[in-house]
Amino acid sequence: MFTKVLIANRGAIAVRLLRSFKKLGVQAVAVYHEQDRNSLHVQLADEAWSLGDTSAADTYLNSDKLLQIARESGAEAIHPGYGFLSENADFVSACEKAGLVFIGPTREQILDFGLKHQARAIAEKAEVPLLPGSGLLPDLKAALQEADRIGYPVMLKSTAGGGGIGMEVCRSAAVLKKAFDRVRRLSSNNFSDGSIFLEKFVESARHIEVQVFGDGQGQALALGERDCSSQRRNQKVVEECPAPGLTEQQRQQLHHTAERLLAAVHYRNAGTVEFIYDANSGDFYFLEVNTRLQVEHGVTEEVFGVDLVEWMLRLAAGEDLQLDQRRQELQPRGHAIQVRLYAEDPWRNFQPSPGLLSEVVFPEQDGLRIDTWIEKGLEIPSLFDPLLAKVIQKGEDRDQALSLLLQALN
């Protein structure tokens, strides 16, 4: 096992990683923007290094600064958490060049699944069900022709990025004409890649994802599925495990399909295969692969009784996780639901709402897990994601989990 690992992140995920580090006796090196100086992850780490007080690009996204701190602190590996540099292939290369272990998938796997149209091609080769779609669209004329072939409604999508950005439903040629340049421009501005494509839009869709862990040697293990259909602006806000309303046959098909896809590329470490599930037909289709730990990983941990961060550390340190044996041993128990708590103003269209937290009190009850980075007296900065906490409630079944969750939220 590693002696010392740098956490290249902030907020709730940095505190979450620290919990597993402490359990394994791994020393944690925290980094922080000056506005995060008083955050919990800085207080709880074994040592903390300032990244300065400028932009996110020059702090948490500055790979040169992070690598320099890793060298000077004596860290052997870097855990990226989620967001920031977690799916940056160049950062993986830079880590490896500096003699540091990147705790996550390989550079090639991040590149392979980083562009959605390319991920579709890999999924097709692995015989994973796909929605009708197009290749990259050179111009509006090609988009209109492809939309006629696929059939409206269609989803116009950016091939790069995530977070619900660069997606627009088009129910007619007139809407597609208006949306084409807008989505391409949005994609270019946010992801430095204006490439877009079309995919058939499913009206009665649910968003279901499968948590997978790969050993990098061709073995992949699915740890159940999560329903992430409750979204705002195409971004998840409520997630639960297991997904309700599926037959056992449907669950097994989803799990085996996800395992087959990631085993085919010898996937390494934690990853998630996302699917669109048609509630009317019961069919499911490949959506994308997230090559990192998910925000909602906690509901899977609660139901399966595992520590995914520990698994990530052990695999990256060269341990054999014996996934075949774990497949026989792991059994889901109960139901878990997560909601995200944000510093946002619902009366101003959910704009971020930074400021001083004058009081912070979380409830305590059976089966309740709070993943957070905040406490009384903390100033919430305006520079970063406004996520304050993840409220995770486990129950014996879905009804109990919902009842206890509402009690905690109240």
Side-chain angles (χ1 to χ4, degrees):
M1 179 49 63
F2 303 112
T3 301
K4 185 182 286 189
V5 176
L6 183 141
I7 297 174
N9 218 300
R10 63 178 296 280
I13 184 57
V15 177
R16 162 67 192 94
L17 296 178
L18 278 161
R19 194 163 68 240
S20 295
F21 284 28
K22 299 283 187 187
K23 183 171 74 174
L24 294 174
V26 176
Q27 293 181 45
V29 179
V31 293
Y32 61 92
H33 186 285
E34 281 299 320
Q35 290 191 15
D36 282 334
R37 174 177 283 275
N38 297 318
S39 295
L40 274 179
H41 82 284
V42 176
Q43 299 176 41
L44 296 173
D46 296 283
E47 54 188 276
W49 296 63
S50 175
L51 293 167
D53 60 358
T54 52
S55 65
D58 196 41
T59 53
Y60 293 110
L61 288 167
N62 189 323
S63 58
D64 289 338
K65 279 186 179 179
L66 293 167
L67 293 173
Q68 182 181 349
I69 292 170
R71 282 192 297 269
E72 292 182 8
S73 67
E76 303 148 274
I78 293 182
H79 199 305
Y82 46 67
F84 290 137
L85 294 169
S86 62
E87 294 176 288
N88 187 306
D90 290 338
F91 184 59
V92 179
S93 297
C95 287
E96 292 173 350
K97 188 176 180 181
L100 295 161
V101 176
F102 177 81
I103 301 175
T106 67
R107 167 188 167 85
E108 291 72 23
Q109 288 160 355
I110 290 175
L111 289 172
D112 284 344
F113 290 115
L115 297 176
K116 296 182 182 70
H117 79 284
Q118 196 164 298
R120 277 178 60 93
I122 296 170
E124 185 174 21
K125 188 176 180 181
E127 299 182 348
V128 174
L130 290 171
L131 285 166
S134 73
L136 295 182
L137 301 165
D139 50 39
L140 177 59
K141 181 181 177 182
L144 292 169
Q145 290 174 342
E146 286 294 288
D148 284 338
R149 178 184 64 82
I150 296 167
Y152 291 96
V154 293
M155 178 77 87
L156 186 61
K157 301 176 74 170
S158 163
T159 189
I165 300 171
M167 299 169 61
E168 190 158 338
V169 179
C170 303
R171 299 184 182 278
S172 67
V175 174
L176 178 55
K177 287 176 183 176
K178 290 180 180 178
F180 188 83
D181 284 336
R182 180 169 61 249
V183 173
R184 184 161 61 179
R185 185 169 56 251
L186 194 66
S187 175
S188 182
N189 290 343
N190 281 277
F191 312 122
S192 301
D193 187 341
S195 303
I196 53 179
F197 68 104
L198 287 171
E199 203 167 65
K200 180 68 177 175
F201 178 69
V202 178
E203 294 282 4
S204 300
R206 289 172 60 188
H207 187 132
I208 295 178
E209 62 187 29
V210 179
Q211 175 68 60
V212 184
F213 202 93
D215 66 2
Q217 307 298 318
Q219 290 286 330
L221 172 63
L223 291 96
E225 77 290 335
R226 301 183 285 253
D227 189 300
C228 307
S229 303
S230 298
Q231 301 185 6
R232 186 191 65 208
R233 303 182 190 131
N234 296 314
Q235 193 163 24
K236 305 163 190 171
V237 290
V238 181
E239 303 100 346
E240 58 183 306
C241 175
L246 299 182
T247 66
E248 188 56 32
Q249 182 181 9
Q250 288 171 325
R251 292 185 205 283
Q252 292 304 317
Q253 286 178 332
L254 282 163
H255 301 169
H256 292 157
T257 300
E259 287 177 343
R260 185 170 72 246
L261 174 60
L262 294 196
V265 297
H266 285 213
Y267 189 83
R268 183 184 80 186
N269 226 282
T272 302
V273 184
E274 306 202 356
F275 296 95
I276 288 292
Y277 174 80
D278 189 330
N280 290 330
S281 68
D283 295 326
F284 62 88
Y285 306 94
F286 173 77
L287 183 61
E288 62 183 352
V289 172
N290 282 305
T291 53
R292 54 171 167 78
L293 192 66
Q294 294 279 85
V295 178
E296 58 273 16
H297 73 276
V299 291
T300 295
E301 291 184 324
E302 293 303 306
V303 169
F304 280 83
V306 300
D307 182 337
L308 288 170
V309 175
E310 179 183 342
W311 285 27
M312 295 179 81
L313 286 164
R314 290 191 181 281
L315 186 79
E319 293 187 26
D320 181 359
L321 291 185
Q322 299 179 321
L323 295 183
D324 273 342
Q325 183 177 331
R326 291 178 188 267
R327 188 191 308 276
Q328 307 301 322
E329 297 171 350
L330 288 174
Q331 293 296 328
R333 290 183 175 84
H335 196 99
I337 305 173
Q338 170 179 292
V339 297
R340 305 188 190 191
L341 183 65
Y342 285 100
E344 293 180 343
D345 189 341
W347 306 111
R348 296 187 178 182
N349 196 29
F350 295 96
Q351 289 181 6
S353 182
L356 178 68
L357 292 174
S358 57
E359 189 65 57
V360 176
V361 179
F362 288 106
E364 294 182 10
Q365 62 187 38
D366 289 345
L368 182 65
R369 165 177 161 181
I370 307 288
D371 283 6
T372 188
W373 61 283
I374 61 172
E375 60 182 353
K376 179 179 179 178
L378 191 68
E379 186 84 23
I380 303 302
S382 58
L383 282 174
F384 308 111
D385 182 81
L387 179 69
L388 299 180
K390 297 179 289 182
V391 181
I392 305 167
Q393 179 67 61
K394 183 182 180 184
E396 292 181 6
D397 53 32
R398 188 170 189 255
D399 287 343
Q400 187 189 55
L402 276 170
S403 177
L404 289 170
L405 176 63
L406 290 173
Q407 180 177 310
L409 293 176
N410 285 334

